[in-house]
DNA sequence: TAGTGGTCTAGACCACAAA
DNA sequence: TTGTGGTCTAGACCACTAG
C-alpha cells in the first residue's frame, strides 16, 4: 500500500508550511516545477495543490502563481469548554452526580455517529448542578480501547472532558445543536416543568483521527445558552 | 465568456438534484457515461463530480458508483453562512417573504445588545422557505448610518446577509444559541404545531469595530440543526 | 514574450466489488 | 468477468500578467 504520488507532493507542501520555510505570502513553485521535481505530470502536481487550496492553506492567483495564505484562527470559534470551569467562572458552585457507568457494545445509531462498530465503549451518565440546580445531563460514550481506565476516574475531582483531553489531546470535533422537548426521564432528572424545551448538543471528538468520545448534552433552555465569538484574522 | 465544460456537467447534476429526479441514495451515471454524454474526457466529467462531492451532495463508493447523499438540514455555527446558499447546496429551492420593513430608534434591549443608542436602525422581518416549507424567521436590525441603502435592496435577489457583507466586511460576531418555545406569532409564521420548540440564534456582527447588524433567527427544531466543526491548527 | 494557472484530451493501469 | 472509482501520463490550447 504505497501512498499516491499526489499525496506525497501534498505532504511535501504541508511540511514546508509546518516548518515555516514557506511563510505567509510566499510564492510556491509553479505546478510545472513541482511536476518536474517529483517526476510527475502537471495534472498530478496540480491535484496536490488543489488539495491544499481546498484546505485553505494556499491561494491561487491566475497567471501569477500560488501563494501561502494567511492563517485564520478559526479554532476559537466554538471552544470546547469545561462546564465546571464555566460555572465556577460565574462565581457559582458546581456539583455532579454519576447516574450510571457501564461497558457495552454500541448500538447502530451510536456506532455510526461515532464511527465505532463492534468495539467496546464505556457509557456514563452524569448530571451537573449549578448552585444545587441541575443544569446539564451528560450522556457520554467513550472509546474503551483508547481510554481503558476511563471508568476508574473520580469524576468529582476531574470532569470527564478534562480527563479525556489529558489522555488523548483533542484535535477534531463535530458539534451539532438542536432544540428538543425533553423526554420523561430527562424531565425528571433536570427537574423540568412541562413546557420547557431543551438545548441538545451532540459532540464527537477525535484525537489524531481516532474517535475518542461521543457525547450528548441536554440543557434546560431556561438556564442555558451556548455562545461563541467569531473574529477574523487581523 | 463561455463556462468550462466541467461546470456544465456540474450544473446538469445539480439540476437533477434540485428537481429531485435524482433522489437520496440514487446511483448517478458513472464517470465514463457522463463523459460520453457530454462528449468530454473522463477527467473532465470526474472534475464535475469532484465538485459535487466536495459540496457534500454526492458520495463516492470505490468500485461501486457515486450516490446522492442523504441530506440533513444543518447549518454552520462557526462560519457565518448564507441560508440561501445552504439550501441551494442541499439541492433544494429557496424562497423568501419580507413581512415588514421599517426605520426606527431601537428600544433599550436591542440598543444595549447592539451597542447602538439614539441612532436610527432599520428593522426587517423575513421568512425563508426551503422547498416551500418555512425554515427560518429572520428579525434583523441594521445600523442605518453605516448601511443607508439597506431597505432599498431587492431581497429576492440578494440576501440581507450577502448585501451587508458586501457593504461592510464582517470582522467580528457574537453568537448565542437557545432553545425556546415559539410565541403565537412565531407559531403562525413558521406553521408550527403546539409542541415544537425553536432554536433561537442571536447574532451581532461588526465591521472593524462598528456595529452593523443584530439579528435573531428562529428555526423550527424539527427541521433544523446547527452544526460546526472544530479543528486544531495542524 | 515568457511564465502562470485554467481547462481539456485520449488514452492507460490498478484494486476492488458485484454478478 | 465486467464495471467502477482512483490514479496517472504527456501532451495541448487558452487568457492573463509581468517584465
Amino acid at each position: 500500500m504505497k501512498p499516491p504520488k499526489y499525496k506525497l507532493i501534498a505532504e511535501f507542501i504541508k511540511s514546508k508550511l509546518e516548518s515555516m520555510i514557506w511563510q505567509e505570502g510566499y510564492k510556491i513553485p509553479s505546478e510545472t516545477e513541482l511536476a518536474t521535481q517529483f517526476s510527475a505530470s502537471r495534472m498530478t502536481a496540480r491535484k496536490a495543490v488543489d488539495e491544499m487550496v481546498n484546505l485553505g492553506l494556499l491561494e491561487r492567483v491566475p497567471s501569477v502563481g500560488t501563494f501561502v495564505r494567511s492563517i485564520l484562527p478559526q479554532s476559537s470559534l466554538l471552544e470546547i469548554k469545561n462546564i465546571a470551569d464555566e460555572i465556577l467562572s460565574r462565581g457559582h458552585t458546581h456539583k455532579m452526580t454519576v447516574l450510571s457507568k457501564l461497558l457495552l457494545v454500541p448500538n447502530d445509531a451510536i456506532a455510526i455517529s461515532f464511527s465505532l462498530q463492534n468495539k467496546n465503549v464505556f457509557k456514563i451518565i452524569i448530571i451537573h448542578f449549578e448552585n444545587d440546580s441541575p443544569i446539564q445531563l451528560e450522556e457520554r460514550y467513550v472509546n474503551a480501547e483508547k481510554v481503558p481506565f476511563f471508568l476508574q476516574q473520580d469524576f468529582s475531582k476531574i470532569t470527564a472532558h478534562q480527563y479525556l483531553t489529558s489522555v488523548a489531546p483533542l484535535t477534531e470535533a463535530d458539534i451539532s445543536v438542536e432544540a428538543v422537548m425533553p423526554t420523561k426521564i430527562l424531565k425528571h432528572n433536570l427537574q423540568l416543568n412541562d413546557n420547557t424545551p431543551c438545548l441538545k448538543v451532540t459532540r464527537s471528538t477525535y484525537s489524531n483521527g481516532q474517535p475518542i468520545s461521543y457525547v450528548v448534552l441536554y440543557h434546560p433552555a431556561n438556564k442555558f445558552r451556548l455562545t461563541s465569538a467569531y473574529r477574523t484574522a487581523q
Side-chain angles (χ1 to χ4, degrees), chain A:
Chain A
M1 300 298 109
K2 63 163 190 286
K5 204 180 273 188
Y6 78 89
K7 281 280 181 199
L8 292 179
I9 305 178
E11 281 307 314
F12 166 77
I13 297 173
K14 210 179 269 184
S15 73
K16 292 292 186 185
L17 296 175
E18 272 164 20
S19 59
M20 306 288 280
I21 295 174
W22 293 352
Q23 308 226 3
E24 183 178 327
Y26 178 80
K27 180 179 172 184
I28 76 163
S30 74
E31 296 170 356
T32 320
E33 279 179 83
L34 283 173
T36 312
Q37 228 175 103
F38 284 86
S39 317
S41 75
R42 191 187 141 209
M43 286 293 259
T44 303
R46 185 175 170 79
K47 185 162 183 180
V49 175
D50 269 342
E51 207 173 74
M52 308 310 283
V53 169
N54 284 334
L55 282 174
L57 301 177
L58 298 180
E59 186 178 4
R60 287 203 170 96
V61 181
S63 315
V64 180
T66 302
F67 302 84
V68 177
R69 266 187 47 152
S70 59
I71 314 112
L72 298 177
Q74 210 176 32
S75 55
S76 65
L77 205 51
L78 197 65
E79 294 166 65
I80 309 262
K81 280 196 198 155
N82 181 328
I83 188 161
D85 290 344
E86 274 188 70
I87 291 170
L88 294 177
S89 78
R90 292 199 279 268
H92 294 172
T93 59
H94 171 250
K95 210 181 63 183
M96 66 184 355
T97 310
V98 176
L99 286 195
S100 78
K101 279 185 181 184
L102 46 102
L103 173 66
L104 49 77
V105 174
N107 66 32
D108 287 351
I110 301 291
I112 289 169
S113 329
F114 193 25
S115 33
L116 272 183
Q117 233 141 3
N118 302 318
K119 300 216 175 179
N120 288 332
V121 299
F122 298 122
K123 177 179 181 180
I124 188 167
I125 299 183
I126 297 174
I127 301 184
H128 295 266
F129 297 84
E130 175 166 1
N131 285 351
D132 294 320
S133 142
I135 193 177
Q136 181 184 92
L137 186 136
E138 172 179 357
E139 180 182 341
R140 184 183 289 273
Y141 300 82
V142 173
N143 186 337
E145 192 182 299
K146 296 287 162 191
V147 195
F149 305 115
F150 180 69
L151 289 192
Q152 278 115 76
Q153 302 312 306
D154 177 355
F155 293 112
S156 66
K157 295 219 174 95
I158 187 169
T159 65
H161 183 255
Q162 277 176 322
Y163 175 67
L164 289 173
T165 49
S166 76
V167 172
L170 171 65
T171 56
E172 302 109 57
D174 294 308
I175 301 158
S176 106
V177 181
E178 298 167 80
V180 298
M181 291 311 290
T183 61
K184 251 189 211 167
I185 297 176
L186 203 53
K187 244 189 253 183
H188 173 255
N189 281 314
L190 292 178
Q191 299 167 23
L192 296 177
N193 300 330
D194 255 1
N195 226 22
T196 305
C198 284
L199 207 57
K200 177 184 174 183
V201 178
T202 310
R203 195 166 71 199
S204 304
T205 56
Y206 302 84
S207 187
N208 302 312
Q210 297 294 319
I212 298 299
S213 181
Y214 171 81
V215 61
V216 185
L217 306 170
Y218 293 93
H219 311 90
N222 53 1
K223 293 196 189 144
F224 202 82
R225 288 194 350 195
L226 193 76
T227 67
S228 148
Y230 170 90
R231 298 281 177 279
T232 54
Q234 270 104 56

